[in-house]
Amino acid sequence: MASPSKATAALAALREDLSGPVLAPEDSGYDEARAVFNAMIDRRPAVIAQCESEADVVTAVRFGREMDLPIAVRGGGHSVAGMSSGDGALVVDLRRMNEVTVSPGARAVRVGGGATMSRLDRACQPHGLATTGGRASTTGVGGFVLGGGSGWLDRKFGLAVDNLLGVDLVTADGERVTATAEDHPELFWALHGGGGNFGIATSMTLRLHELPAMSIAFLLYLPEYGPEVVRTFRAVVEEGPREASGAALYLTGPPEEFVPKHLVGRLMAGVLLTYAGPEDEMRRLAEPLLALPHESEVVTAIAYADLQCMIDDPPGLRNYWSAEYLTGLPDAFVDAFCARAGTMPVPTGTQHLVFPQGGAIADGPADYPVPYRDAAWAVHPFAIWEDPADDEPCRQWVKEVRADAAPWSTGAVYLNFTGNEGAGRIVAGLGAENMRRLGMVKQEYDPENVFRFNHNIPPA
């Protein structure tokens, strides 16, 4: 670490040089700026650099290296594992770099490194265009895409990384690099799943697709109908077109107008059928689900950007997530999945989901380090709660869901759905055969492992 006098002088210089605010623990606004999405994470960085440009990011990285500070990168979204902050670290905060520029003629969009999914989706909506986004509007685009990118449109348009055209990075040396299929191709390959290991993504360019219509059926059922609901949803999706996606789930009945008051706060089974097409086609597809006895229904055309807001989980709650990717969805798994719902923490914001893969996901490039591409289905338990006293039972429930799914697991996992689950899970999320190649890219662009607040890839 630098001497106190040198640190004071360097911090003063950073404040002078950076376009955006620089916050230290004694500054007003520091506590607000350090707060992250997951209330289980409470860290006190040494400096928060709220960057407004790529030049600011370069300046911040060089400051961090000069001061020998650990460097964490904060994009626009969740980082449920708290990887966007660190005690005593420099946080390079990109949230002011949230510009989104749509090029309708080129079917492409340029997205700032701190933009959220909402900004991306709403910028594209007027043009009738979209790309695969997350399942919540508050997701940060940068971490989502570089981690692989799974969402409601992936069966139609592929994973988010399948639509990645280019990335502007600031490296650990404070240098600027643009990675595309033609320029720095090995780095570009590594960014298709390798996350923030290789530099700070200040912007990225994504391919867009025409999406003239979107529609949904969201139905709630009494929990005893859960096994039949999941099996029916399985048949609807597996026998339907790749425009169909969504999830079967268990949740606490939300305090919404469409939920009968006596069911609010109670365990409910549900299904969200999403359809990248018009309402009339979706209604025909949803007929078997509508035929089951249900307590409420929302069946409608909807703007994609509005769909993305439907299951936003608010900041400031306690979160613990995980997932298992599955070879299929046989009846034995369905029975285990539904039985586990009986121990789900209720009433909380916790959700117990199973969702389909296939379609354009399976058709995408096999070379990228996203080994979950070939899985048929995925189970995604995410526990959300308020009371710290519930920490252990909520975490334990998520682990029990994973254990239930083990007989049908492919062994691969989407790392954006996980926190710190050990080095073995990182290998499972990137592929054992890919790790050596990823390590070599890490060695070239970040040999000192400066960017290590992530699902870390050690330099080879």
Side-chain angles (χ1 to χ4, degrees), residues 29 36 38 53 67 151 171 253 275 287 367 371 381 396 414 451 453-454:
V36 295
N38 187 354
S53 67
M67 294 295 100
T171 69
Y275 189 76
E287 285 176 0
D367 181 50
Q396 183 60 32
Y414 173 44
F451 300 119
F453 289 81
N454 46 40

mmCIF file of all heavy atoms in Angstrom, residues 29 36 38 53 67 151 171 253 275 287 367 371 381 396 414 451 453-454:
data_model
loop_
_atom_site.group_PDB
_atom_site.id
_atom_site.type_symbol
_atom_site.label_atom_id
_atom_site.label_comp_id
_atom_site.label_asym_id
_atom_site.label_seq_id
_atom_site.Cartn_x
_atom_site.Cartn_y
_atom_site.Cartn_z
ATOM 1 N N GLY A 29 -22.572 10.876 0.642
ATOM 2 C CA GLY A 29 -22.976 10.054 -0.490
ATOM 3 C C GLY A 29 -22.247 8.739 -0.596
ATOM 4 O O GLY A 29 -22.618 7.884 -1.410
ATOM 5 N N VAL A 36 -25.138 -2.170 -2.284
ATOM 6 C CA VAL A 36 -25.339 -3.030 -3.444
ATOM 7 C C VAL A 36 -26.700 -3.699 -3.364
ATOM 8 O O VAL A 36 -27.422 -3.604 -2.365
ATOM 9 C CB VAL A 36 -24.214 -4.086 -3.568
ATOM 10 C CG1 VAL A 36 -22.880 -3.411 -3.844
ATOM 11 C CG2 VAL A 36 -24.128 -4.964 -2.315
ATOM 12 N N ASN A 38 -27.760 -6.814 -3.107
ATOM 13 C CA ASN A 38 -27.983 -7.863 -2.118
ATOM 14 C C ASN A 38 -27.660 -7.334 -0.720
ATOM 15 O O ASN A 38 -26.503 -7.029 -0.409
ATOM 16 C CB ASN A 38 -27.103 -9.074 -2.440
ATOM 17 C CG ASN A 38 -27.388 -10.269 -1.554
ATOM 18 O OD1 ASN A 38 -28.168 -10.195 -0.605
ATOM 19 N ND2 ASN A 38 -26.757 -11.391 -1.865
ATOM 20 N N SER A 53 -16.915 8.184 -18.493
ATOM 21 C CA SER A 53 -16.378 7.973 -19.835
ATOM 22 C C SER A 53 -15.321 6.884 -19.789
ATOM 23 O O SER A 53 -14.836 6.502 -18.715
ATOM 24 C CB SER A 53 -15.752 9.263 -20.365
ATOM 25 O OG SER A 53 -14.598 9.598 -19.601
ATOM 26 N N MET A 67 -1.721 2.783 -6.663
ATOM 27 C CA MET A 67 -1.927 2.712 -5.212
ATOM 28 C C MET A 67 -1.946 1.272 -4.698
ATOM 29 O O MET A 67 -2.134 1.039 -3.505
ATOM 30 C CB MET A 67 -3.239 3.399 -4.830
ATOM 31 C CG MET A 67 -3.272 4.894 -5.059
ATOM 32 S SD MET A 67 -2.088 5.789 -3.997
ATOM 33 C CE MET A 67 -0.745 6.066 -5.153
ATOM 34 N N GLY A 151 -32.370 -15.599 -21.149
ATOM 35 C CA GLY A 151 -33.587 -14.834 -20.904
ATOM 36 C C GLY A 151 -34.765 -15.361 -21.688
ATOM 37 O O GLY A 151 -34.691 -16.403 -22.348
ATOM 38 N N THR A 171 -8.019 -2.553 -20.168
ATOM 39 C CA THR A 171 -7.278 -3.680 -19.603
ATOM 40 C C THR A 171 -6.675 -3.323 -18.249
ATOM 41 O O THR A 171 -6.739 -2.187 -17.786
ATOM 42 C CB THR A 171 -6.153 -4.118 -20.548
ATOM 43 O OG1 THR A 171 -5.146 -3.090 -20.565
ATOM 44 C CG2 THR A 171 -6.671 -4.367 -21.950
ATOM 45 N N GLY A 253 -48.065 -15.862 -3.147
ATOM 46 C CA GLY A 253 -49.085 -15.065 -3.817
ATOM 47 C C GLY A 253 -48.849 -13.585 -3.606
ATOM 48 O O GLY A 253 -48.849 -13.118 -2.464
ATOM 49 N N TYR A 275 -44.268 -15.662 -25.244
ATOM 50 C CA TYR A 275 -44.378 -16.015 -26.655
ATOM 51 C C TYR A 275 -43.915 -14.839 -27.506
ATOM 52 O O TYR A 275 -44.460 -13.733 -27.409
ATOM 53 C CB TYR A 275 -45.823 -16.392 -26.999
ATOM 54 C CG TYR A 275 -45.971 -16.968 -28.388
ATOM 55 C CD1 TYR A 275 -45.582 -18.276 -28.663
ATOM 56 C CD2 TYR A 275 -46.480 -16.203 -29.433
ATOM 57 C CE1 TYR A 275 -45.694 -18.806 -29.934
ATOM 58 C CE2 TYR A 275 -46.597 -16.725 -30.713
ATOM 59 C CZ TYR A 275 -46.206 -18.026 -30.960
ATOM 60 O OH TYR A 275 -46.310 -18.548 -32.230
ATOM 61 N N GLU A 287 -53.825 -23.120 -24.461
ATOM 62 C CA GLU A 287 -55.111 -23.751 -24.137
ATOM 63 C C GLU A 287 -55.001 -24.865 -23.090
ATOM 64 O O GLU A 287 -55.812 -24.932 -22.163
ATOM 65 C CB GLU A 287 -55.776 -24.278 -25.412
ATOM 66 C CG GLU A 287 -56.388 -23.174 -26.263
ATOM 67 C CD GLU A 287 -56.967 -23.694 -27.576
ATOM 68 O OE1 GLU A 287 -56.884 -24.926 -27.812
ATOM 69 O OE2 GLU A 287 -57.482 -22.880 -28.350
ATOM 70 N N ASP A 367 -18.507 -23.618 -29.828
ATOM 71 C CA ASP A 367 -17.139 -23.314 -29.415
ATOM 72 C C ASP A 367 -17.069 -22.411 -28.187
ATOM 73 O O ASP A 367 -16.080 -22.423 -27.466
ATOM 74 C CB ASP A 367 -16.408 -22.652 -30.588
ATOM 75 C CG ASP A 367 -14.954 -22.319 -30.271
ATOM 76 O OD1 ASP A 367 -14.253 -23.228 -29.789
ATOM 77 O OD2 ASP A 367 -14.541 -21.169 -30.480
ATOM 78 N N PRO A 371 -20.961 -24.122 -21.408
ATOM 79 C CA PRO A 371 -21.207 -25.560 -21.503
ATOM 80 C C PRO A 371 -22.629 -25.996 -21.158
ATOM 81 O O PRO A 371 -22.962 -27.170 -21.328
ATOM 82 C CB PRO A 371 -20.203 -26.145 -20.499
ATOM 83 C CG PRO A 371 -19.977 -25.055 -19.513
ATOM 84 C CD PRO A 371 -20.039 -23.783 -20.317
ATOM 85 N N PRO A 381 -33.556 -22.069 -8.308
ATOM 86 C CA PRO A 381 -34.101 -21.579 -7.045
ATOM 87 C C PRO A 381 -33.449 -20.257 -6.668
ATOM 88 O O PRO A 381 -32.229 -20.162 -6.621
ATOM 89 C CB PRO A 381 -33.710 -22.677 -6.056
ATOM 90 C CG PRO A 381 -32.411 -23.215 -6.602
ATOM 91 C CD PRO A 381 -32.494 -23.067 -8.100
ATOM 92 N N GLN A 396 -30.149 -22.901 2.921
ATOM 93 C CA GLN A 396 -30.251 -24.352 2.957
ATOM 94 C C GLN A 396 -31.301 -24.855 1.978
ATOM 95 O O GLN A 396 -31.104 -25.882 1.314
ATOM 96 C CB GLN A 396 -30.574 -24.830 4.374
ATOM 97 C CG GLN A 396 -30.617 -26.343 4.528
ATOM 98 C CD GLN A 396 -29.306 -27.019 4.178
ATOM 99 O OE1 GLN A 396 -28.229 -26.444 4.382
ATOM 100 N NE2 GLN A 396 -29.371 -28.233 3.641
ATOM 101 N N TYR A 414 -24.861 -22.015 -15.384
ATOM 102 C CA TYR A 414 -24.773 -20.626 -15.831
ATOM 103 C C TYR A 414 -24.312 -19.797 -14.640
ATOM 104 O O TYR A 414 -25.027 -19.671 -13.650
ATOM 105 C CB TYR A 414 -26.154 -20.207 -16.328
ATOM 106 C CG TYR A 414 -26.363 -18.759 -16.687
ATOM 107 C CD1 TYR A 414 -25.434 -18.044 -17.437
ATOM 108 C CD2 TYR A 414 -27.542 -18.111 -16.308
ATOM 109 C CE1 TYR A 414 -25.668 -16.731 -17.786
ATOM 110 C CE2 TYR A 414 -27.788 -16.803 -16.660
ATOM 111 C CZ TYR A 414 -26.855 -16.114 -17.388
ATOM 112 O OH TYR A 414 -27.090 -14.803 -17.739
ATOM 113 N N PHE A 451 -8.183 -8.214 -12.094
ATOM 114 C CA PHE A 451 -9.645 -8.345 -12.102
ATOM 115 C C PHE A 451 -10.011 -9.726 -11.562
ATOM 116 O O PHE A 451 -10.162 -10.690 -12.302
ATOM 117 C CB PHE A 451 -10.188 -8.119 -13.506
ATOM 118 C CG PHE A 451 -9.860 -6.755 -14.060
ATOM 119 C CD1 PHE A 451 -9.099 -6.622 -15.213
ATOM 120 C CD2 PHE A 451 -10.278 -5.614 -13.398
ATOM 121 C CE1 PHE A 451 -8.796 -5.363 -15.714
ATOM 122 C CE2 PHE A 451 -9.956 -4.351 -13.886
ATOM 123 C CZ PHE A 451 -9.216 -4.219 -15.042
ATOM 124 N N PHE A 453 -12.342 -9.961 -8.711
ATOM 125 C CA PHE A 453 -13.629 -9.944 -8.035
ATOM 126 C C PHE A 453 -14.678 -10.441 -9.027
ATOM 127 O O PHE A 453 -15.473 -9.674 -9.588
ATOM 128 C CB PHE A 453 -13.981 -8.535 -7.536
ATOM 129 C CG PHE A 453 -13.158 -8.068 -6.378
ATOM 130 C CD1 PHE A 453 -11.884 -7.550 -6.575
ATOM 131 C CD2 PHE A 453 -13.637 -8.161 -5.075
ATOM 132 C CE1 PHE A 453 -11.116 -7.110 -5.505
ATOM 133 C CE2 PHE A 453 -12.863 -7.722 -4.005
ATOM 134 C CZ PHE A 453 -11.602 -7.206 -4.217
ATOM 135 N N ASN A 454 -14.684 -11.739 -9.264
ATOM 136 C CA ASN A 454 -15.553 -12.345 -10.277
ATOM 137 C C ASN A 454 -15.493 -13.863 -10.101
ATOM 138 O O ASN A 454 -14.857 -14.350 -9.173
ATOM 139 C CB ASN A 454 -15.100 -11.929 -11.694
ATOM 140 C CG ASN A 454 -13.596 -12.035 -11.896
ATOM 141 O OD1 ASN A 454 -12.979 -12.985 -11.427
ATOM 142 N ND2 ASN A 454 -12.995 -11.071 -12.572
#
